[in-house]
Amino acid sequence: MEKLNIEGRLIGPGEPPYVIAEIGSNHNGDMDLARRLVDAAVEAGADCAKFQSWSKRSLICKAEYERNTEYADTHRHFGTLEQMCAKYQFTETQHREMADYCRERGITFISTPFSAHEADLLEGLDVPFFKIASMDVPNLPLLEHIGAKGRPVMLSTGMSTVGEVERAVAVLREAGSGPVCVLHCIAVYPPRYADINLLNIPMFQDVFDVPVGFSDHSRGTAIPLASVAVGACVVEKHFTLDKDMKGWDHWVSADPADMAEIVREGRNIALALGGRRRVLCADEQAKKLAFRRSAVAARPLTKGAVLAMDDLDFKRPGTGIGPDEAAYLVGRTLARDLAEDEEMQWNDLL
Amino acid sequence: MSLNKIVHVGDKFVGDGCPCFTVVELGVSHEQNVDLARDFIRQAKASGADAVKVESFQADDFAFDKTLTHTYGTADGPRTENYYAMLKRLELSYDDYAKLKQEADEQGILFFSTVHNSANAQVMQDMDVCAFKIASSDVTNLPLIRDLAKRGLPVFMDTGGAYVGEVERGIREFEAQGCENLILMHNPLGYPAPPDKTDLRMIPSLKALFDVPVGLSCHTPGFDMVVAATALGANAMEKPITRDRTLPSPEHIFAFQTEECDEFVFKVRNTEIALGGKRRSSVPSGSYARKTRRGVYAAKAIKAGETLSGDNVVFGRPLKGIPVELADEAMGMTLRRDVGVHEPINWKDLE
């Protein structure tokens, strides 16, 4: 299996999970907020800050804007679709600003391109890999265009069948992409638990022989942490400073405490998975002496007595004769008197 | 100290990702005939096997109860022999084994031996064997395990009849003594092993438990289990060779005959090739596009202006026009031109 190498950080089985703080449109069009989000992502320990490279013109067609002018949920939607896209779009200048800021703060800058033009812009900003959104799994022209740039690719797979993922990976590779990582993703915000199917993660890894990650849209940290436990090499989650902020995705995003927990506990889980081989660590070896049991006299016993099973009791500590050795005690003769509850040793027997 | 997942045996590598290590077992089928054993070695080399193995026991070293008997299957049915007498008639001398080692060296094939005590191990080590083997009955022989672990050679350990705990304890002893190169051999019990006691799934189980290479000591007549075990991921395959499998001797019934040695190696290699990878390799590489399926053809001569339906369309090969999976879209569309019988229909022919 080919791991990804992103600015020296390896991504794949056995490596610590690569955490992507998806800022997306959570900057609400405000670059000060964007910078504070990057700062918070750095502080939480995320490996990567991700944006979205679409413009009002490149993503949605005119007729669709005309069809979407009113929304019931005004906390998330402040105006028409067109007005919101105009505000939240990420301009070329803003791209450069945020790429520089991320570099300065020491966190990888990535953005998902939604058109060939945006992919070219990102190539110009020297992004270390390309992220492709779930909605573009069937966008074969875009996949070819991005694949030809020869960089590693992370492909989200929400809404897609296995065949569509298979085709997308084939097209990317045939176009010349670098190593590919597939992100299991349910494109519902948030999905029902029974619809998440985290077991798709080891399935994709097994069948496609690529590193597989998880793009999470659940509420909270349990599901992304569980994804690490089933083998996700990448965890991506929307990121906000405040889940109650106005805007599209803040409510299903991780806040700084959530993101820090995902980073910290994700690493702990990856370590805790360990291996299949049963190995006793030194601490456990030592514990046997205190936690197991040793043979003691069940009642006062006299020298010369022939031991029967009911003369024996087994209590902590485990420094003496274990209960699994009782067969070697029964029928033996005591060499000295033993008080009730006194520990028995081998040289107490004739 | 941890055991290697890939074990170096002679010039070969044994473990997942490496070819299955094929071993022709000369063990107890040589009929005390050194020339016959040499033939076996030459055949093993000619067939492309990776190694030959011998038994080098000296019965007087351990077979103390002269009343013990051993029952085994033969071509003529079960046979019972006095165990000690049987061992004596299956023994070769250390001089004989030295001659066999020399033959193996001249042929250029790896040579190793099952050993039964330190003196035995020393003799074989002095002969420069590439590995040691421990028999199933010695999985609890901790003194022998400790001795072999320190000799610096890889060890094959048979596990027939052993509890997981006994194998585990043996492995811990190896590790404690500094051995890093251990290959477990699943060894179904029986002469021959009946199918319901073959337990081939122990092969992946032992791998899951101990993370070391695991092979099969095949005790079944024929090559079915050789193929099955290779398909289950066996990293080594050992089977005895004989001149004649109808001979009344303990392992002949599940041995392959000299002229079948090619087939033994072929079964393993061919299965490995057939296992392939997880993704289909039969898709022509370099192209996701498909031309080899069926397309929409005219079932009979159709005139311009007629519409396509189940009556006038047939799905034929090769795919030249509309692919069959898109046929639904074409149904009900009208032809712009006349189309002859069995001519492919294209989108541009329709409106």
Side-chain angles (χ1 to χ4, degrees):
Chain A
M1 182 192 293
E2 235 190 323
K3 292 186 180 178
L4 276 66
N5 184 334
I6 306 302
E7 296 179 328
R9 173 79 152 79
L10 288 177
I11 297 176
E15 304 295 339
Y18 187 82
V19 179
I20 300 175
E22 150 83 301
I23 292 171
S25 59
N26 280 356
H27 50 66
N28 289 357
D30 170 2
M31 291 302 105
D32 271 333
L33 178 53
R35 271 184 288 273
R36 280 185 287 136
L37 281 162
V38 170
D39 291 341
V42 170
E43 199 169 317
D47 296 289
C48 172
K50 190 174 88 58
F51 294 82
Q52 288 174 4
S53 303
W54 49 264
S55 66
K56 196 186 82 161
R57 288 189 56 184
S58 78
L59 188 62
I60 298 172
C61 71
K62 190 160 159 235
E64 185 70 354
Y65 283 129
E66 282 161 17
R67 287 188 284 263
N68 290 277
T69 54
E70 274 175 37
Y71 292 86
D73 180 348
T74 54
H75 185 81
R76 294 180 55 221
H77 304 281
F78 69 80
T80 67
L81 182 59
E82 191 167 7
Q83 286 169 328
M84 292 189 287
C85 288
K87 179 147 192 267
Y88 297 157
Q89 69 189 343
F90 201 39
T91 68
E92 281 192 36
T93 316
Q94 289 169 337
H95 270 86
R96 281 171 225 289
E97 228 188 289
M98 294 317 304
D100 287 341
Y101 190 68
C102 286
R103 216 155 268 138
E104 206 181 299
R105 297 294 341 260
I107 188 169
T108 300
F109 167 84
I110 287 295
S111 186
T112 305
F114 289 79
S115 76
H117 169 73
E118 282 138 3
D120 293 343
L121 167 65
L122 292 173
E123 189 181 23
L125 292 170
D126 208 25
V127 291
F129 67 93
F130 281 98
K131 172 80 206 299
I132 298 180
S134 295
M135 60 177 274
D136 281 325
V137 164
N139 192 342
L140 307 186
L142 181 61
L143 293 174
E144 262 185 65
H145 187 86
I146 290 175
K149 295 182 186 304
R151 290 176 203 223
V153 174
M154 279 196 205
L155 176 74
S156 269
T157 60
M159 302 173 286
S160 308
T161 62
V162 172
E164 289 170 330
V165 175
E166 178 186 34
R167 179 181 57 185
V169 172
V171 167
L172 282 167
R173 285 189 171 143
E174 278 163 28
S177 76
V180 174
C181 167
V182 153
L183 300 189
H184 176 51
C185 170
I186 307 301
V188 175
Y189 294 33
R192 288 191 316 221
Y193 291 108
D195 291 335
I196 297 178
N197 294 308
L198 289 175
L199 290 177
N200 277 194
I201 294 167
M203 181 279 289
F204 274 125
Q205 192 158 286
D206 196 39
V207 170
F208 285 98
D209 202 30
V210 291
V212 177
F214 183 57
S215 183
D216 177 50
H217 297 119
S218 69
R219 303 185 76 175
T221 58
I223 300 301
L225 289 175
S227 78
V228 174
V230 296
C233 308
V234 176
V235 176
E236 176 190 90
K237 195 171 171 69
H238 281 80
F239 184 52
T240 184
L241 293 182
D242 174 3
K243 295 184 211 193
D244 293 323
M245 208 180 277
K246 288 187 171 195
W248 287 338
D249 300 322
H250 301 276
W251 69 296
V252 287
S253 302
D255 63 19
D258 290 337
M259 189 57 74
E261 190 184 337
I262 290 171
V263 171
R264 183 186 65 244
E265 299 306 333
R267 281 191 201 132
N268 287 339
I269 289 169
L271 264 180
L273 285 173
R276 290 183 302 184
R277 177 86 196 272
R278 183 107 189 90
V279 172
L280 293 180
C281 63
D283 290 338
E284 266 212 301
Q285 298 278 18
K287 263 306 186 357
K288 286 190 199 184
L289 300 175
F291 272 29
R292 287 189 168 177
R293 297 176 188 253
S294 307
V296 298
R299 66 182 73 80
L301 298 171
T302 49
K303 173 173 168 174
V306 173
L307 289 175
M309 197 60 206
D310 61 8
D311 290 327
L312 304 171
D313 211 345
F314 294 93
K315 300 185 186 179
R316 282 185 178 170
T319 45
I321 301 169
D324 55 345
E325 298 172 290
Y328 303 117
L329 293 174
V330 171
R332 302 282 294 277
T333 307
L334 273 181
R336 64 176 182 98
D337 290 349
L338 283 177
E340 183 177 321
D341 228 30
E342 195 179 342
E343 290 160 293
M344 210 173 278
Q345 303 298 340
W346 290 116
N347 58 19
D348 294 332
L349 308 166
L350 289 175
Chain B
M1 193 58 57
S2 90
L3 293 168
N4 291 327
K5 287 187 177 176
I6 309 278
V7 171
H8 209 164
V9 179
D11 60 340
K12 308 278 181 185
F13 292 93
V14 183
D16 284 348
C18 307
C20 181
F21 186 77
T22 50
V23 180
V24 173
E25 151 82 315
L26 274 47
V28 291
S29 52
H30 46 65
E31 303 172 56
Q32 293 186 309
N33 180 338
V34 171
D35 286 329
L36 177 59
R38 283 195 180 115
D39 264 346
F40 290 153
I41 293 171
R42 281 190 284 266
Q43 183 60 61
K45 172 63 184 178
S47 300
D50 294 304
V52 296
K53 186 182 84 59
V54 296
E55 278 283 357
S56 55
F57 62 79
Q58 304 296 302
D60 290 318
D61 287 347
F62 57 84
F64 303 133
D65 182 346
K66 309 284 204 280
T67 66
L68 259 187
T69 58
H70 180 61
T71 303
Y72 54 89
T74 72
D76 298 317
R79 189 186 143 109
T80 301
E81 264 192 82
N82 175 275
Y83 183 60
Y84 177 75
M86 184 191 82
L87 289 179
K88 286 309 274 184
R89 74 173 180 82
L90 298 173
E91 237 180 55
L92 283 174
S93 70
Y94 285 142
D95 278 343
D96 292 333
Y97 289 118
K99 290 179 187 144
L100 296 182
K101 174 63 165 56
Q102 192 182 355
E103 183 70 44
D105 288 346
E106 279 164 23
Q107 292 298 320
I109 186 168
L110 294 174
F111 179 99
F112 66 106
S113 177
T114 303
V115 295
H116 296 266
N117 59 36
S118 310
N120 184 189
Q122 190 60 51
V123 170
M124 299 319 284
Q125 188 159 16
D126 291 339
M127 273 189 221
D128 210 20
V129 291
C130 66
F132 293 115
K133 182 135 186 250
I134 292 191
S136 294
S137 50
D138 283 323
V139 75
T140 52
N141 192 341
L142 303 184
L144 179 60
I145 289 174
R146 281 182 207 126
D147 177 288
L148 295 187
K150 294 192 265 235
R151 291 180 181 268
L153 287 176
V155 178
F156 289 80
M157 183 161 89
D158 265 351
T159 61
Y163 289 117
V164 166
E166 292 172 324
V167 178
E168 180 183 34
R169 181 178 52 193
I171 286 180
R172 284 197 205 283
E173 281 300 331
F174 274 111
E175 284 185 314
Q177 301 303 325
C179 175
E180 292 178 309
N181 295 302
L182 180 69
I183 296 165
L184 294 177
M185 298 296 277
H186 171 53
N187 188 334
L189 283 186
Y191 291 83
D196 63 338
K197 297 208 181 349
T198 302
D199 297 319
L200 291 180
R201 285 202 173 105
M202 275 309 290
I203 295 168
S205 290
L206 287 169
K207 275 195 205 178
L209 280 162
F210 302 117
D211 249 349
V212 292
V214 179
L216 175 70
S217 281
C218 181
H219 275 225
T220 305
F223 293 125
D224 289 345
M225 303 307 158
V226 168
V227 171
T230 304
L232 276 177
N235 301 123
M237 190 66 59
E238 177 196 304
K239 199 167 170 72
I241 189 171
T242 180
R243 174 174 67 84
D244 175 357
R245 75 164 78 80
T246 66
L247 290 170
S249 238
E251 299 199 347
H252 291 257
I253 198 172
F254 53 85
F256 56 84
Q257 295 187 172
T258 318
E259 65 276 13
E260 293 169 327
C261 195
D262 279 355
E263 200 184 342
F264 168 57
V265 177
F266 173 77
K267 292 282 184 191
V268 172
R269 296 287 163 248
N270 201 44
T271 305
E272 287 181 311
I273 291 168
L275 284 170
K278 283 196 179 114
R279 283 175 287 170
R280 288 193 69 77
S281 62
S282 48
V283 176
S285 61
S287 168
Y288 189 77
R290 260 285 156 70
K291 299 271 177 238
T292 60
R293 300 286 163 88
R294 293 188 190 219
V296 177
Y297 285 76
K300 53 185 172 203
I302 324 176
K303 295 237 167 275
E306 285 185 52
T307 59
L308 294 187
S309 70
D311 292 335
N312 55 23
V313 141
V314 67
F315 306 123
R317 290 191 186 129
L319 165 53
K320 285 188 178 172
I322 298 167
V324 61
E325 64 264 28
L326 298 177
D328 284 351
E329 323 269 338
M331 293 306 155
M333 290 180 78
T334 312
L335 274 173
R336 284 194 176 138
R337 62 172 182 97
D338 293 350
V339 173
V341 62
H342 295 164
E343 228 192 290
I345 298 175
N346 290 289
W347 290 117
K348 63 182 184 352
D349 301 327
L350 300 170
E351 60 193 356

